[in-house]
Amino acid sequence: MLWNSAGGFGAVALTGMLGTEFLKSQALAADGVRANPLGGTPVGRERLARAKHVIFLFMYGGPSQVDTFDHKPDLYRLDGKTIDVPTFGRQGKRAGGRVVGPKWRFRPYGECGKQVSDLFPHIGSQVDKIAFVHSMYAESPIHGSALLNMNCGRIISGHPSLGSWVNYGLGTINRNLPGYVVMLDESGGPISGAKNWTSGYMPASLQGVQVRSEGTPILGLERPAGTTDAAQRALLDHIAEENGLHASARPGNGELAARIEQLELAYRMQSTAPEAVDLASEDEATREMYGLNDDRTRRFGAKCLLARRLVERGVRFVQVYSGGGHNDDNWDAHGDLVFNHTRHAGRTDRPIAALLVDLERRGLLEETLVVWGGEFGRQPTAEYAEGTGRDHNSWGFTMWLAGGGIRGGVSVGETDELGSKAVVDRFHVKRLHATILHLLGLDPNGLTYFFNGLDQKLVGVEGAEPIQEVIA
Amino acid sequence: MTQVTDAVVLRPVEPAYGVDQWLEFVGRLHPVVLHVPIGMLVALLLLEAWTLVSRNAIPARRMLSVVFAVSAVAAAVTGWLLGSGGEYRGDLFQAHRGYGIAAAVVAMFAAAIELFGRGGTAALIRRVTLLLCATLVALAGHQGGLMTHGRGHLADAAPPWLAPYLTEERERAPIAAPPLEPEVESEPEPDEPPSDVAIVVAAFRERCFECHDENKTKGSLRLDVVEGWSDGVDLESPEDSELLYRVVLPADDFEAMPPKGDRLDPSAIDALRRWIESGAPTEELVRELEGAHASQRNAAADLDSVRERTGARIVAVRGDREPRIAESRLDVDWRHAEAAPSTLGVASLAPIADRIVALGLARDDVGDDVLDALPGLVNLERVHLEGSRVTDRGIDALVARAPRLSYVNLHSTAVTGAALDALGSLEQLERLVLYGTNAEATSVERFESERPEVRVTVDGGLPSIDTARRILVHDDGAGRLVALEEVAIGHPETVWERPIDGASDLAWLGDDGSIVVVEDGAAVHRLASDGSLRWRRSLDDLELEGVRRFGGVQALPSGHAIVALDGDGALAIELDGEGAVVWTLSAHEGLQAPAVIAVRD
């Protein structure tokens, strides 16, 4: 019975389970350049790190920048005209194509006057909290590798994801909940699934844990029917004893240490997780604000609200996916751009704006970095001879950040006049990662993990600097 | 990657194993040997007591007192050898050595009396000597324990009445801390970068003091005093300064320092080089070393014991841009702790109070009593109290203790506008979260006008937004009215539709999306934004004389509708939101049966 619950649990592998001692020793060994990030000398007069938590709103499939936040007024007039503009998508490289003009009007919002399309009127009302990065570029225009690029820093498998790095660097706050939570779209996970929230070569305890906003929050967690608390405790104590014996002959075995802790965390979470995901305890106005009373926004709204509740309870890194599965179940608008983006923006606009408002009014936005974006953007030209569908575009796309030390109401970087390619202040994905780590008080170029003879970094061997222009 | 090098690889010469090495080895047996005389002493005391009852114990006692004396001497000798290695220094060490040798000497004296003394006087002297010896052993043992396990080892765990006797210089913090008016020191210039000396001292403190300070002085080098630095400096040729080249050497060089772990931070090495090149001035160095000394002592003490007593999560805050953690700036957080903070618990923060910059008490089992019990928190910047049971009185107590607060989170508490008076005295306040409190709007407005630089959140919601363009179509062929929404440019979607027998005119009414429609000249309909019928007024309902049919309709900003009347009587009527007539325009000379009318209010 316990095997059953432990097995289901083992599959998700929780973080926050290793003693900090283990991480300390790892960090000391790992960090080649600087002092141990968990050790101690005085910081003195420097400012406190500004973010403690991250909520990453992942728009899986790749939202089109020119139809959302990257205003290209000239593009409307070119609708239907064939022009020479090199593109690179799933159809390979092309020299030009038929322009699909932006399908939504833009209007200025907030004190900063940021132009936002009519897809996101609610997010538009929050632009003064947001810093937009219009000149992002990624290494691959194909979903699988681009997702890994955005989540793990590389286009190949096996590297720990951003949430793992954050938890590795900062440690857990609440030992009764995982430090890294992933919430998937109801239509399914993104391509490659768990590789996107893996801990790679780090201990399995740093892996993301899938939490569901409806039904059982964490699968395989509940106590098997007919088992009493005392019986389960006795069983766990016995297993811990046996595991301890096993471990004593194998000092420094991270996997084993993680396993022992995982069983304990799972046990603790049997009581803490249901409370954390109890959205019914929220007041009606809040539920309404997140759109829980509207069928379109209900599901994503519940995830955003849950993300706030998890952050309040000390979870370091929460990733929420908008879109999953295939085709128009995510933002991958190859066929009908209007149908696709209306659907996904309609589901997410209100909940995301509500999340920003709610974090702000609870004084949490200062400590919580909210990141919005997909694995890449979309092209200004049509993918096919007919229709409005746009192909993938990793040469230029928009992401935005809010809260947690971000300077609101700014837009940095530019794509060309067609929105096809980043041209001014171009930022590689790792610059975004560096920015996130930096705001959490971690040195992106100093946070390392020794593996395969190399001090591995999220931002790669060459390193990366944070995007200073978006930092308050 | 293969590293190719022509350089001869230097290997440390294997030292011969000689007398010195033997002596060091024997010295290192001290921690083992010293336990023998302690055991013997206890046995001896027991036998001495037994002697009072029976003479049988005397032979055993005589034998044991010799063994005791010999083992005490052995402990003293091994201790001397260990101490001569140069790794131990300081008052504690000196005292331990003194008491240890004294204990050995007295033990020999006691054995001599045992063997050669006769009569009652000798017995008395022997017993007194033994008690003296026991005292000396206890003192030496305690000091030895402190050297091995740290100065607070016993005191931290001891009952409060005993603790002061177990430690020397450190003052125990009183458990119940008094409320205080903190004396705020002037803030140091925030933008001033640390000086070279400060950088080097910080780096050395982190990496070198471990083996080179007053307690452990490997290679006879102390880096916690100026002399240790001056001796390692070569002003003629800075690069040859021992202090510098040893840290510059690559890690695999046998002279390299520190011998283990990473190399020193390059910025610290550069700073050291600059300091030496500038003539190695000692004035600032003395100051920095004193500071390092003091903070070293503080940091080593207290943290763990406070953590244990409070049950809070206590971590050093992360500095902006800095991966390093500051022992000197702490985040104390009960938010996710198992147990609620007790008044006793928060009071025991006193020893670390001036290092606390963030405090988390946001839980529903925290009330004013907890805030009352807080010690003075002169450096506290951020406090989380959301969802707690604190009231205005508690805020007064908090503000009196924490004058440097910049972030105060009170959402979902019962505080009222009265708390704003106290909060207003916080000069460095930047952010105040009052969402879900009982703070009255007027108090908040007054506060905001007095302190415009403070960002106050009282409430927040989403503005109601409806930006999509809507189009109303009368589809005469199909006999229906259709409301479309333009979800994208040129892409309408049906919002609703309803059958209608020919609409002669229609208009949007106000901002709420409701509609007024004239149905075939015979009736006026008002439809809600979802297309449902709110009311219908026919010609008969309105009993207008001489009017044959309704003409065109126009919406007024007020949400009223003006309907043109076709007939011999009145020209137009104004209908309010409920369909009642509020105004009638009577017939005007020369106007015959107007079908359309426009009104400007």
Side-chain angles (χ1 to χ4, degrees), chain A residues 333-380:
Chain A
H334 288 286
D336 185 342
L337 175 73
V338 171
F339 168 77
N340 179 293
H341 275 33
T342 302
R343 173 188 243 193
H344 295 291
R347 289 173 179 176
T348 55
D349 173 45
R350 185 182 181 93
I352 291 173
L355 176 65
L356 294 178
V357 165
D358 203 20
L359 288 172
E360 160 83 5
R361 69 184 182 182
R362 284 164 198 269
L364 276 172
L365 193 60
E366 284 96 334
E367 298 181 348
T368 309
L369 179 60
V370 181
V371 183
W372 179 99
E375 66 270 38
F376 42 57
R378 308 204 81 81
Q379 294 175 4

Side-chain angles (χ1 to χ4, degrees), chain A residues 31 35 37 41 43-44 46-47 49-50 103-105 121 169-170 173 312-313 360-363 366-367 441, chain B residues 206 262 318 320 322-323 325-326 329 336 382 384 407 409 431 433 435 455 460 465 469 486-489:
Chain A
D31 192 336
T41 32
V43 165
E46 291 121 17
R47 225 153 47 148
R50 284 159 286 183
K103 291 297 160 199
W104 289 270
R105 286 182 198 86
L170 295 178
I173 300 176
E312 278 178 321
R313 282 158 185 73
E360 160 83 5
R361 69 184 182 182
R362 284 164 198 269
E366 284 96 334
E367 298 181 348
Chain B
E206 189 190 345
D262 303 325
R318 306 202 135 256
D320 186 35
E322 283 298 318
I325 269 176
R329 308 183 82 198
H336 314 293
R382 300 173 68 86
H384 283 275
Y407 170 101
N409 194 335
R431 181 85 168 93
V433 184
Y435 165 64
R455 204 154 59 81
I465 291 161
R469 182 174 284 182
E486 194 188 39
V487 296
I489 296 171

Side-chain angles (χ1 to χ4, degrees), chain A residues 54-77:
Chain A
V54 179
I55 298 177
F56 197 132
L57 306 168
F58 204 112
M59 304 295 120
Y60 168 49
S64 161
Q65 62 272 23
V66 297
D67 296 292
T68 53
F69 299 108
D70 197 3
H71 188 212
K72 295 295 168 193
D74 294 341
L75 203 56
Y76 293 87
R77 287 184 284 103

Side-chain angles (χ1 to χ4, degrees), chain B residues 508-529:
Chain B
W508 294 103
L509 266 186
D511 291 334
D512 65 351
S514 68
I515 295 147
V516 61
V517 187
V518 180
E519 185 185 14
D520 210 16
V524 180
H525 297 235
R526 174 142 185 213
L527 306 178
S529 60

